[in-house]
């Protein structure tokens, strides 16, 4: 019989954790045992997997005995604190947080781009930020064909990217706002219903947010080209699921929109949706619940010599988090 694995999901009760369970089932991952880990707040809860209830346990340094693979999504500080214990116990960890992404010993992997780095792991493989993942899936085929020199990206990120509580907050704020009632932000720093917030994560000394600098540094590491210049603006929008991105690139070799469409049609993980005359372009309503990275609005940037603009949409909880991590785990057990 094919080998089966003991899996621990760290942060099982969260938005990404829930999606881990869903995708492990959907893709029939060979699960032998399942350990669900979260905080004391979740003690006593049960979550369903394969029709069976599993108890949620409190995460401790002793949670990893006999575990083969840890899927981590309990925040960066928990990953920093607990993943070394998991590695010591013999597990391989796929980490969704930013904790180890820029660590030189840790591969940072999007399977469609640099899956071959998975086998170089020393116990931890990092999953990139959601916004980085969908952007590099769309850009990698173009980079290979025409060498990208500079990227200017603006993101339109859904509230689910900030966790389950933020999804509830958008719903509650929307109801209150439409009922002409006072909205007091609790989870977000400002009202998110019927608004946009040009801040995701904290501000850094250079005036960019940490989320924006994640896109800069992670893109260079994944595409293995430190010379690529990246300028990012990350914006939280009142959408529940799926992130959208306006992506503008400059390439070394001239490339036409037709060439880009041809390169991306059938590229791993990409779904082309580009027929503006029929009103066809990707939107969050297309990507929600789907695995693909949807690309449309491909056009020549006429303001520079070799420029292309495009629009990229993907489900941030699936390809942006749980799906990418499970694809990494699937490569690990191949
Ligand atoms: P969420 O819905 O807020 O869930 C957070 C999860 O972490 C919950 O299961 C929570 O358990 C658990 N947790 C929090 N504090 C803990 C503690 N002290 N000990 C043990 N467990 C603890 O957030 P999410 O959207 O699922 O995201 C979780 C993390 O995944 C993020 O912080 C981020 O690092 C990463 N993430 C990555 C991406 C990506 O782009 N790759 C996207 C989204 C998130 P309780 O229910 O018990 O509180
Ligand atoms: C997405 O614990 C934390 O600070 C987690 C914050 C967080 C991250 C992160 O930095 O790991 C929330 C949402 C991410 C991410 O993917 O970078």
């Amino acid at each position: 019989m094919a080998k089966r694995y003991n899996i621990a999901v760290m942060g099982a009760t969260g938005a990404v954790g829930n999606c881990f369970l869903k995708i492990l089932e959907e893709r029939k991952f060979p699960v032998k045992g399942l350990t669900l880990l979260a905080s004391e707040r979740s003690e006593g809860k049960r979550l369903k997997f394969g029709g069976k209830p599993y108890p949620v346990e409190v995460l401790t340094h002793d949670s990893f005995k006999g575990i083969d693979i840890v899927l981590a999504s309990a925040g960066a500080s928990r990953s920093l604190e607990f993943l070394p214990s998991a590695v010591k116990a013999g597990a391989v960890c796929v980490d969704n947080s930013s904790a180890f992404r820029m660590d030189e010993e840790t591969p940072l992997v999007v399977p469609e781009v640099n899956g071959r780095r998975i086998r170089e792991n020393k116990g931890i493989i990092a999953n990139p930020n959601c916004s980085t993942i969908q952007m590099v899936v769309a850009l990698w085929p173009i980079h290979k064909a025409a060498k990208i020199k500079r990227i200017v990206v603006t993101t339109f990120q859904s509230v689910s990217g900030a966790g389950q509580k933020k999804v509830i907050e958008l719903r509650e704020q929307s109801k209150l706002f439409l009922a002409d009632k006072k909205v007091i932000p609790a989870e977000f720093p400002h009202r998110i219903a019927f608004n946009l917030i040009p801040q995701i994560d904290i501000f850094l000394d250079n005036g960019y947010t940490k989320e924006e600098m994640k896109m800069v540094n992670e893109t260079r590491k994944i595409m293995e080209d430190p010379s690529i210049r990246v300028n990012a603006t990350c914006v939280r929008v009142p959408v529940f699921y799926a992130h959208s991105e306006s992506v503008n690139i400059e390439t070394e070799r001239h490339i036409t929109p037709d060439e880009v469409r041809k390169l991306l049609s059938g590229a791993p993980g990409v779904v082309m949706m580009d027929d503006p005359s029929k009103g066809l372009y990707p939107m969050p309503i297309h990507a929600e619940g789907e695995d693909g990275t949807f690309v449309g609005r491909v056009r020549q940037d006429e303001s520079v010599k070799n420029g292309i603009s495009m629009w990229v949409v993907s489900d941030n909880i699936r390809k942006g988090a749980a799906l990418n991590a499970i694809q990494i785990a699937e490569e690990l057990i191949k």
Side-chain angles (χ1 to χ4, degrees):
M1 210 171 92
K3 189 167 163 40
R4 305 186 84 73
Y5 299 84
N6 288 324
I7 308 291
V9 178
M10 204 170 117
T13 51
V16 178
N18 263 290
C19 194
F20 270 138
L21 300 186
K22 209 192 303 175
I23 295 179
L24 286 171
E25 261 194 85
E26 280 173 16
R27 294 172 77 96
K28 300 186 169 52
F29 195 91
V31 178
K32 184 159 85 184
L34 186 63
T35 301
L36 304 181
L37 304 168
S39 78
E40 292 88 357
R41 292 179 289 273
S42 298
E43 223 179 339
K45 270 194 196 164
R46 281 164 187 275
L47 298 175
K48 273 212 169 139
F49 179 77
K52 262 178 44 192
Y54 285 77
V56 179
E57 299 168 29
V58 178
L59 170 66
T60 72
H61 288 280
D62 300 320
S63 296
F64 308 103
K65 273 185 209 124
I67 298 295
D68 301 304
I69 298 172
V70 177
L71 301 171
S73 65
S77 48
R78 262 72 62 192
S79 288
L80 266 179
E81 184 180 349
F82 292 98
L83 293 191
S85 301
V87 174
K88 238 182 243 163
V92 182
C93 309
V94 186
D95 184 25
N96 259 277
S97 84
S98 56
F100 297 96
R101 286 181 194 148
M102 298 314 297
D103 172 43
E104 276 184 14
E105 302 241 293
T106 306
L108 179 64
V109 174
V110 176
E112 291 86 343
V113 179
N114 65 340
R116 69 188 188 291
R117 296 287 173 202
I118 292 170
R119 64 182 127 88
E120 295 167 9
N121 82 81
K122 296 193 165 68
I124 301 175
I125 299 148
N127 204 57
N129 179 260
C130 38
S131 297
T132 310
I133 293 177
Q134 67 184 68
M135 185 171 82
V136 300
V137 166
L139 292 186
W140 180 242
I142 306 172
H143 186 54
K144 277 191 293 181
K147 193 166 175 17
I148 295 172
K149 294 195 310 190
R150 180 166 186 254
I151 304 168
V152 178
V153 55
T154 303
T155 69
F156 304 72
Q157 298 183 220
S158 68
V159 294
S160 56
Q164 200 52 50
K165 283 190 186 148
K166 310 288 200 298
V167 174
I168 297 164
E169 171 131 308
L170 173 59
R171 193 170 297 132
E172 292 308 317
Q173 284 190 5
S174 303
K175 283 191 223 158
L176 288 171
F177 188 81
L178 290 174
D180 279 332
K181 293 196 176 131
K182 196 172 157 81
V183 176
I184 301 164
E187 294 288 329
F188 285 109
H190 306 278
R191 196 182 85 211
I192 184 63
F194 307 95
N195 191 25
L196 306 172
I197 305 176
Q199 177 190 353
I200 299 179
D201 214 329
I202 56 171
F203 278 101
L204 304 172
D205 288 344
N206 64 359
Y208 286 83
T209 61
K210 203 171 158 193
E211 185 86 349
E212 289 160 354
M213 293 314 292
K214 285 174 193 172
M215 292 192 80
V216 175
N217 297 319
E218 294 175 16
T219 299
R220 290 172 170 164
K221 179 167 173 178
I222 299 160
M223 307 233 284
E224 295 177 14
D225 187 345
S227 72
I228 298 179
R229 286 167 289 149
V230 185
N231 182 63
T233 304
C234 293
V235 183
R236 186 73 68 193
V237 300
V239 167
F240 287 108
Y241 294 98
H243 291 356
S244 305
E245 300 179 341
S246 159
V247 183
N248 175 267
I249 57 170
E250 279 180 65
T251 54
E252 199 164 278
R253 180 177 82 69
H254 187 76
I255 190 162
T256 65
D258 273 344
E259 275 182 85
V260 169
R261 278 187 285 265
K262 215 175 276 165
L263 275 172
L264 293 185
S265 299
V270 177
V271 181
M272 278 310 290
M273 195 181 255
D274 197 14
D275 194 347
S277 69
K278 297 200 174 91
L280 196 67
Y281 32 73
M283 293 184 279
I285 52 175
H286 298 120
E288 180 178 340
E290 298 291 326
D291 288 349
T293 293
F294 295 76
V295 179
R297 299 288 323 276
V298 178
R299 58 213 192 272
Q300 201 90 57
D301 174 356
E302 294 172 351
S303 72
V304 291
K305 202 165 125 239
N306 297 332
I308 289 283
S309 287
M310 59 208 275
W311 179 250
V312 181
V313 185
S314 190
D315 187 321
N316 53 295
I317 301 292
R318 291 182 72 91
K319 185 56 185 169
L323 172 64
N324 196 72
I326 288 173
Q327 286 176 300
I328 292 171
E330 287 171 347
E331 289 292 322
L332 266 174
I333 64 169
K334 252 187 195 166

